[in-house]
Each structure stands twice: as C-alpha cells, then as structure tokens.
Amino acid sequence: IQLYKKQTEHYFITQCLCMIMEAAGKKNCANLAVLLDTLLNLLHQQGCAPVDGTNSVTIKNHNEVLRCYAVACKIYSQRVVSFLLTKLEVNQEKVKAPTLEIIKHLINSCDAELEDKKPLIVSGLKIILSEQSLKVRSVFGQVIITMAHHQYLELEGGHSLVEFLV
C-alpha cells in the first residue's frame, strides 16, 4: 500500500495487488476481510485519478483497478456495493463519475454476485437523478443502459431511471 506513495507509475502495483486479492480470496484469507476497507479506499483513489488516453500505462492501471473491484465484489459483494453507494453521496464530480464507472463495470462483470443486490443498487443510484453535472449525468446514462441489459430496470424504482434517459 505504501508503494503507491513512493512510485509514480501505479500499474504494476495495482496488478500485483489484484493477484494478491485473488489468491487471498481463493484461500479464504481473513486478512483480506480486515484490509478490505483500506483497499477499497486505496483503489477508489486510483479509480478517480484522471486517465490519460494517450498513456497506455494509465489506461492499464485503470483497467486493473476495475479488475480489483471485480475480484473484491466476487468475495465481498455487500461491502463493495455499500462502499460505492456511499461514495456517490460525495458532492464532487471527480468522485461521482468514476464511482459510476466502477459500478457499471461491476454490473457487467459480477452479475451473479450482484443478483440479490439489484434492489439496493437501483435504490442507491436514485441519488444521481437530481445531479446537475453533465459528465456525471452522461456516465449515469451509460450505467442505466448497462442496468437494462441485466434486468435492473424491471425492479421497483427502475421506471424513474428510464425516465432519466428520456
């Protein structure tokens, strides 16, 4: 964790962290549960960092961050979803938009693990309906489209998300 502070390139650190999380999850390592909040916060900081589309290393790091979230979600889906929904309450575009991108990734990559969390996710995303930032609204539209592919919009509250798109 301290390596993120010491190094300017974070890709290899994030890649290694993801492999450690995968191994710890397979072995049901209790340390992962203890460190999860710290890891989620650390990964969220990385996920909120601007991605330079011309720098392949920053793109790779961002993809590894998303993979780390997927790994964590497959083991601790309730904690990951709660963490991300809490981050949506922060009134900053630079936090909300990346958080929505992470949620979109998890909806696509952790469908089975999120099956029983769908109502919570639909309910938790309603906070974005009144968002004024065009960037956040744009990412939120992408999330809603992703949700439609996974039958989230058929749940209670899904209608208001469809109305947001219209």
Side-chain angles (χ1 to χ4, degrees):
I1 296 174
Q2 294 299 321
L3 287 174
Y4 278 112
K5 295 177 184 174
K6 295 178 183 178
Q7 302 293 321
T8 56
E9 294 295 334
H10 298 137
Y11 167 64
F12 293 112
I13 300 167
T14 308
Q15 185 181 41
C16 182
L17 179 60
C18 193
M19 287 187 269
I20 292 169
M21 290 173 64
E22 284 177 326
K26 288 178 183 175
K27 297 286 185 184
N28 293 323
C29 181
N31 289 340
L32 183 58
V34 172
L35 293 173
L36 187 64
D37 291 332
T38 302
L39 292 172
L40 291 176
N41 276 305
L42 181 69
L43 290 167
H44 196 264
Q45 289 172 4
Q46 290 293 310
C48 289
V51 178
D52 179 0
T54 63
N55 183 342
S56 66
V57 176
T58 62
I59 295 169
K60 287 179 181 180
N61 186 60
H62 184 75
N63 290 336
E64 281 299 308
V65 168
L66 295 176
R67 195 165 75 94
C68 285
Y69 268 102
V71 168
C73 188
K74 290 178 186 213
I75 307 165
Y76 301 106
S77 60
Q78 180 65 45
R79 287 178 65 184
V80 172
V81 168
S82 296
F83 172 83
L84 292 171
L85 293 178
T86 301
K87 290 295 183 184
L88 290 177
E89 295 172 6
V90 175
N91 199 18
Q92 294 178 2
E93 176 183 286
K94 64 182 182 179
V95 174
K96 284 184 179 181
T99 301
L100 287 168
E101 289 175 7
I102 295 167
I103 290 171
K104 180 178 78 170
H105 176 74
L106 294 179
I107 289 169
N108 277 322
S109 63
C110 299
D111 197 36
E113 293 80 9
L114 295 179
E115 185 63 37
D116 62 334
K117 313 293 182 296
K118 286 181 177 182
L120 174 65
I121 294 169
V122 170
S123 173
L125 289 176
K126 285 184 180 180
I127 192 171
I128 305 297
L129 291 173
S130 60
E131 179 63 43
Q132 297 301 307
S133 162
L134 292 178
K135 180 175 183 175
V136 173
R137 292 173 68 84
S138 174
V139 177
F140 186 44
Q142 294 171 22
V143 172
I144 294 170
I145 291 167
T146 301
M147 293 171 78
H149 290 287
H150 295 275
Q151 289 74 45
Y152 281 73
L153 303 182
E154 298 168 7
L155 301 171
E156 182 179 335
H159 183 71
S160 61
L161 300 179
V162 173
E163 286 178 349
F164 176 86
L165 289 178
V166 179

